[in-house]
Amino acid sequence: RDFVKDHGGHTVITRVLIANNGIAAVKEIRSVRQWAYATFGDERAIEFVVMATPEDLKVNAEYIRMADQYVEVPGGTNNNNYANVELIVDVAERTGAHNPLLPESLRSSKSKIVFIGPPGSAMRSLGDKISSTIVAQHAEVPTMPWSGDGIKDTFLNDLGHLEVPDNAYQEATTHSMEQGLKQALRIGFPVMVKASEGGGGKGIRMVSKEADFASAFYQCQAEVPGSPIFIMKLAGESRHLEVQVLADQYGNAISLFGRDCSVQRRHQKIIEEAPVSIAKPETFEKMEKAAVRLARLVGYVSAGTVEYLYTPADDKFYFLELNPRLQVEHPTTEMVSGVNLPAAQLLVSMGIPLHRIREIRHLYGMDPNGTSAIDFEFS
């Protein structure tokens, strides 16, 4: 309690529910315990509760052994457990994703539960591939030709943050195979058919000619049922670059450098490199500034990753999407920045501003134990 108060925070968090499994849960526990030991001399200062399916219990998964407590949940697909918002809220309430409903459901809970991540409005604006591309166009960030070309309609919510109205979202969405084919012909083959709620190689298909479009469209629909679909021009001979963003609850957002994740198989990242070396320094700086600008526009809080396509031949970049979470490849960023990202997320959720986080101060060349504000813009 004294630590949070002394560092400008407002909420004491001593117990964390991890609605995930595998290496993601393991890394979260390891990182926060490392921070807790360095800060308090007690790695168990923060208790961890994990959700465990029968499958994970059967193999005695490492994350379950590491946790302070586990709660058994139904097995099967993620919709039954780790992506089930109602179940997560229920477990959180009983024990003290990446889905806009989760932070809002937790906020409306009778128990005082804090979501370690961005608010629901920011998730809708930037966490959704269609909405985020519209926001990028509004912010004059370059985008590839797509089914929502030229759509920039946005509005300010009650908190003064940018959101995308439903009519603009629907206009950018492809509602049928026939409509998608018409857009693909306008954009020009080859194109990508993408599910807005897809990821991890699901809900994405490359189409090089008109005859293959229908099957690819229906495959995307089947892989991510109920997800809106959109069409985007294929960027040939491009690199997949991303910027790590971290934002606090007071409107401050920074870039923690970037990663090159171009080595992929079936749209799944295999090798991550940090820092980015393929783009010119001045070009990547523009990418970083655009990422921070987008985060501020929608009132983003916590860690997020803004992804771009970069074409070395003409030194141009195009907004791809924002992942409103900590990605599995974040350790490469920790190696080059010296910032413990899971711990930073926890501190931000406690209401501690970026300039009071020890590792952020060290990164900006400030006294790690100081309290002075930091000019993140170098103005």
Side-chain angles (χ1 to χ4, degrees):
R1 188 178 300 275
D2 290 341
F3 172 85
V4 174
K5 182 180 179 181
D6 292 344
H7 286 76
H10 53 64
T11 302
V12 178
I13 298 176
T14 58
R15 196 171 175 85
V16 175
L17 168 66
I18 301 179
N20 210 330
N21 63 349
I23 189 61
V26 168
K27 178 61 169 63
E28 172 72 17
I29 296 172
R30 282 179 179 168
S31 293
V32 172
R33 283 184 177 163
Q34 180 184 31
W35 165 81
Y37 183 78
T39 305
F40 306 113
D42 177 12
E43 67 170 20
R44 301 274 174 166
I46 305 293
E47 292 184 18
F48 284 99
V49 181
V50 297
M51 297 166 59
T53 64
E55 296 90 338
D56 288 321
L57 287 168
K58 185 177 180 179
V59 298
N60 194 24
E62 183 178 7
Y63 81 98
I64 299 174
R65 289 184 275 115
M66 291 177 66
D68 298 286
Q69 179 186 348
Y70 75 84
V71 177
E72 190 168 355
V73 295
T77 63
N78 282 357
N79 289 334
N80 296 326
N81 37 67
Y82 306 112
N84 186 324
V85 174
E86 291 76 16
L87 176 64
I88 294 169
V89 173
D90 177 60
V91 172
E93 288 178 333
R94 285 190 284 125
T95 61
H98 189 56
N99 186 317
L101 295 174
L102 187 53
E104 294 171 353
S105 299
L106 290 173
R107 190 171 62 246
S108 62
S109 168
K110 294 178 181 179
S111 306
K112 188 176 182 182
I113 304 172
V114 175
F115 177 64
I116 302 178
S121 59
M123 275 197 180
R124 286 193 186 88
S125 297
L126 286 184
D128 180 279
K129 293 178 175 61
I130 294 175
S131 287
S132 62
T133 310
I134 295 174
V135 171
Q137 289 180 156
H138 172 88
E140 303 297 331
V141 178
T143 59
M144 293 294 294
W146 70 301
S147 53
D149 277 339
I151 301 174
K152 301 180 180 180
D153 297 345
T154 57
F155 69 93
L156 294 178
N157 61 23
D158 294 339
L159 297 175
H161 300 144
L162 218 60
E163 288 193 44
V164 175
D166 187 62
N167 63 316
Y169 187 95
Q170 296 302 326
E171 186 180 349
T173 301
T174 301
H175 297 279
S176 66
M177 188 281 293
E178 292 77 13
Q179 184 183 3
L181 179 57
K182 185 177 179 181
Q183 290 283 10
L185 291 170
R186 176 187 65 81
I187 295 168
F189 289 98
V191 298
M192 301 297 291
V193 181
K194 303 180 74 174
S196 187
E197 298 172 5
K202 292 184 178 181
I204 182 170
R205 287 290 185 280
M206 184 188 79
V207 187
S208 56
K209 57 181 184 293
E210 182 178 347
D212 298 335
F213 185 86
S215 61
F217 185 89
Y218 293 131
Q219 284 174 351
C220 282
Q221 282 189 324
E223 286 183 355
V224 191
S227 171
I229 304 290
F230 66 103
I231 314 300
M232 182 172 280
K233 179 69 176 177
L234 174 72
E237 299 183 2
S238 62
R239 300 288 284 263
H240 191 159
L241 308 182
E242 51 194 30
V243 173
Q244 178 68 62
V245 173
L246 182 66
D248 64 19
Q249 298 181 24
Y250 310 100
N252 300 304
I254 60 173
S255 162
L256 292 175
F257 314 119
R259 302 183 287 262
D260 186 335
C261 52
S262 303
V263 181
Q264 302 182 14
R265 179 176 181 269
R266 296 179 180 175
H267 309 295
Q268 287 272 48
K269 302 168 187 175
I270 297 176
I271 297 177
E272 288 274 351
E273 303 174 51
V276 170
S277 59
I278 185 67
K280 296 178 180 178
E282 56 270 25
T283 302
F284 194 74
E285 184 178 351
K286 291 179 182 178
M287 297 165 73
E288 290 181 288
K289 288 181 176 179
V292 170
R293 189 164 72 248
L294 287 172
R296 286 178 176 156
L297 274 173
V298 302
Y300 196 85
V301 175
S302 198
T305 303
V306 178
E307 303 191 12
Y308 297 98
L309 292 174
Y310 172 74
T311 51
D314 56 9
D315 192 37
K316 290 184 178 180
F317 65 91
Y318 306 92
F319 175 83
L320 186 61
E321 64 186 60
L322 180 140
N323 278 304
R325 56 182 170 80
L326 201 56
Q327 291 184 282
V328 69
E329 60 268 22
H330 75 266
T332 55
T333 292
E334 292 180 321
M335 292 175 192
V336 298
S337 69
V339 176
N340 181 330
L341 284 168
Q345 280 189 301
L346 179 64
L347 293 171
V348 166
S349 297
M350 292 181 184
I352 295 174
L354 291 181
H355 74 271
R356 297 302 306 276
I357 297 176
R358 181 183 178 88
E359 292 170 346
I360 299 295
R361 295 188 64 80
H362 187 269
L363 178 65
Y364 278 80
M366 308 290 285
D367 176 7
N369 299 313
T371 61
S372 58
I374 299 177
D375 179 9
F376 293 117
E377 297 295 312
F378 298 106
S379 57

